[in-house]
């Protein structure tokens, strides 16, 4: 366990078709949402057990009030070597400088299309220009190593791979194409909508005259590639080539449920022991014991199943918000 993704809210200001396509959602009860102090205390338990990389996510993390305060608290912890944020970018213009001052290291912005009308259809929002402004604000604030994440969906945006790469080049961000995953919440998913890694590479290689795989050994989900002009990009092929064997991630929901896998049907409640006054040492022991028994291989198992229906049926999602991607943080 080296990496922890912390969801700070289950709320979102977009309604991406591949994540929150339903008209209504049930939300985590407000009183269960962890305070910044509680998040920091749990983070200490995880770093005591080996975590060195933290990613703040959501829902949309910038909807969480005073997020830079949490960032500053985490940034001050010497055990954390890498502190990153994943955001849809809508509110980034307002927060980029404050996040930088608070000590955030890196930002990943999710953007799937450069066409305004398509953005509206895909996200239910007219905030496309705000996202672009957010990307530029991150550059202006001095963030380097920006990433742009795009979920590729057949019939939706698979014709924009080159345009997205070109935007990445312009703002000095590495683009990562994500295969559409049938995680909980993706109720519109179908096998036919997945654009596999091989096809993504084919399209890009044809346009640029070749693609060179970078031979890297890492636990990062993205495989990286080089274009003849030196541009790099990544592909996260969770659907056709899962990377469970090298996964070192823990995931914490905004109400303190610890998930061992993005596909896990249940997790360990850390909020309850925390609010009951667990010591740092006891928390560490609890985390150690749970992780030691981890045998999750969610994406690999899914690969072997009948995929004509989505992973989690809508009626199950309606009963338990913890099954949703926007609660788990992606
Ligand atoms: N709201 C923030 C954002 O969109 O960047 C952070 C949370 S979001 C759940 C994290 C990531 O999960 C995003 O990059 C999003 O594109 C990705 N994601 C959501 N649903 C997905 C799906 N069905 N397949 C693949 N990626 C998905
Ligand atoms: Fe889109 Fe992220 Fe919101 Fe999901 S959580 S609807 S991916 S912006």
């Amino acid at each position: 366990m080296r990496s922890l993704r912390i969801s700070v809210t289950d709320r979102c200001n977009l309604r991406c078709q591949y994540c929150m396509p339903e008209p209504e959602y049930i939300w985590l009860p407000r009183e269960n949402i962890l305070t910044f102090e509680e998040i920091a205390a749990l983070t200490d338990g995880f770093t005591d057990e080996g975590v060195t990389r933290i990613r703040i996510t959501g829902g949309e993390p910038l909807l969480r009030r005073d997020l830079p305060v949490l960032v500053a608290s985490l940034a001050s912890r010497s055990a954390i070597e890498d502190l990153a944020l994943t955001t849809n970018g809508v509110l980034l213009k307002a927060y980029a400088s404050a996040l930088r001052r608070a000590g955030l290291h890196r930002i990943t912005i999710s953007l799937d299309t450069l066409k305004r009308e398509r953005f509206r259809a895909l996200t239910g929002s007219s905030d496309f220009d705000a996202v672009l402004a957010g990307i530029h604000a991150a550059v202006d604030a001095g963030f380097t190593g920006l990433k742009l994440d795009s979920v590729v969906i057949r019939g939706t945006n698979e014709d924009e791979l080159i345009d997205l790469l070109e935007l990445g080049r312009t703002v000095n961000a590495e683009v990562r194409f994500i295969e559409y995953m049938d995680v909980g919440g993706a109720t519109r998913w179908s096998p036919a909508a997945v654009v596999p890694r091989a096809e993504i590479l084919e399209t890009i290689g044809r346009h640029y005259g070749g693609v060179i795989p970078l031979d890297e050994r890492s636990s990062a989900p993205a495989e990286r590639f080089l274009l003849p002009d030196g541009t790099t990009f990544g592909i996260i092929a969770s659907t056709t080539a899962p990377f469970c064997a090298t996964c070192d991630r823990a995931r914490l929901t905004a109400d303190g449920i610890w998930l061992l896998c993005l596909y896990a049907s249940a997790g360990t409640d850390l909020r309850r022991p925390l609010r009951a006054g667990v010591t740092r040492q006891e928390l560490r022991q609890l985390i150690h014991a749970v992780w030691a028994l981890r045998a999750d291989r969610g994406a690999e198992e899914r690969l072997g199943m009948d995929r004509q229906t989505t992973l989690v049926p809508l009626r199950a999602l309606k009963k338990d918000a913890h099954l949703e991607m926007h609660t788990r943080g992606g």
Side-chain angles (χ1 to χ4, degrees):
M1 180 169 59
R2 291 283 175 269
S3 148
L4 173 67
R5 295 174 78 95
I6 304 172
S7 172
V8 291
T9 179
D10 57 332
R11 310 285 172 137
C12 193
N13 45 1
L14 297 186
R15 288 290 180 272
C16 302
Q17 280 295 308
Y18 51 75
C19 180
M20 301 185 76
E22 300 301 321
E24 279 179 37
Y25 285 93
I26 47 164
W27 306 107
L28 299 175
R30 232 164 240 284
E31 65 275 17
N32 289 355
I33 302 295
L34 301 180
T35 65
F36 287 166
E37 289 74 18
E38 288 173 329
I39 292 175
L42 288 184
T43 302
D44 288 339
F46 281 98
T47 54
D48 287 348
E49 270 304 300
V51 162
T52 57
R53 300 192 308 275
I54 302 278
R55 179 168 293 277
I56 299 170
T57 177
E60 173 46 40
L62 295 180
L63 286 180
R64 179 77 189 249
R65 193 185 307 173
D66 297 330
L67 191 72
V69 174
L70 175 68
V71 169
S73 163
L74 297 180
S76 71
R77 288 167 152 77
S78 58
I80 299 174
E81 294 167 9
D82 183 33
L83 181 58
L85 172 83
T86 299
T87 172
N88 62 31
V90 170
L91 298 172
L92 191 52
K93 185 166 184 232
Y95 283 103
S97 297
L99 290 168
R100 179 94 177 132
R101 279 197 304 278
L104 185 70
H105 301 163
R106 299 188 300 118
I107 301 185
T108 298
I109 299 147
S110 305
L111 180 62
D112 312 306
T113 177
L114 301 181
K115 298 182 194 293
R116 203 168 271 106
E117 271 319 303
R118 205 175 262 186
F119 182 89
R120 195 192 301 272
L122 193 57
T123 68
S125 156
S126 53
D127 281 329
F128 173 75
D129 294 307
V131 179
L132 283 191
I135 294 172
H136 288 289
V139 175
D140 293 345
F143 282 104
T144 53
L146 278 187
K147 294 207 169 76
L148 291 182
D149 278 6
S150 304
V151 181
V152 187
I153 301 180
R154 194 175 304 287
T156 298
N157 64 345
E158 85 269 41
D159 57 343
E160 289 194 66
L161 305 184
I162 308 304
D163 292 345
L164 287 161
L165 280 173
E166 290 300 319
L167 170 71
R169 256 214 281 238
T170 322
V171 295
N172 211 8
E174 184 164 292
V175 177
R176 303 188 312 171
F177 297 110
I178 308 176
E179 285 181 351
Y180 188 9
M181 298 165 68
D182 63 339
V183 284
T187 51
R188 306 285 189 270
W189 187 90
S190 76
V194 178
V195 180
R197 169 182 61 176
E199 191 178 327
I200 295 173
L201 282 175
E202 230 273 301
T203 305
I204 295 172
R206 206 180 324 118
H207 182 86
Y208 290 103
V211 165
I212 304 152
L214 289 171
D215 194 13
E216 298 170 315
R217 264 171 209 279
S218 88
S219 60
E223 292 169 80
R224 295 176 71 235
F225 301 88
L226 185 66
L227 295 176
D229 68 358
T231 305
T232 55
F233 68 96
I235 298 185
I236 302 178
S238 324
T239 303
T240 64
F243 37 86
C244 301
T246 57
C247 174
D248 62 359
R249 289 179 174 188
R251 299 164 189 281
L252 193 62
T253 63
D255 61 345
I257 305 297
W258 171 27
L259 299 163
L260 300 180
C261 177
L262 188 54
Y263 287 83
S265 54
T268 305
D269 182 356
L270 296 181
R271 184 185 73 251
R272 198 171 304 189
L274 187 69
R275 291 190 177 170
V278 76
T279 65
R280 182 161 169 169
Q281 183 56 20
E282 286 164 346
L283 180 63
R284 175 183 184 167
Q285 282 164 355
L286 170 62
I287 292 172
H288 184 94
V290 173
W291 188 261
L293 294 175
R294 180 193 195 228
D296 297 64
R297 287 279 187 278
E300 282 177 4
E301 283 164 14
R302 189 62 186 146
L303 197 57
M305 290 180 194
D306 168 17
R307 300 187 113 169
Q308 293 316 307
T309 53
T310 50
L311 176 66
V312 186
L314 191 53
R315 60 179 184 284
L317 292 171
K318 293 272 177 228
K319 278 198 204 125
D320 185 1
H322 293 102
L323 296 168
E324 298 272 5
M325 180 71 149
H326 69 271
T327 308
R328 304 187 156 206

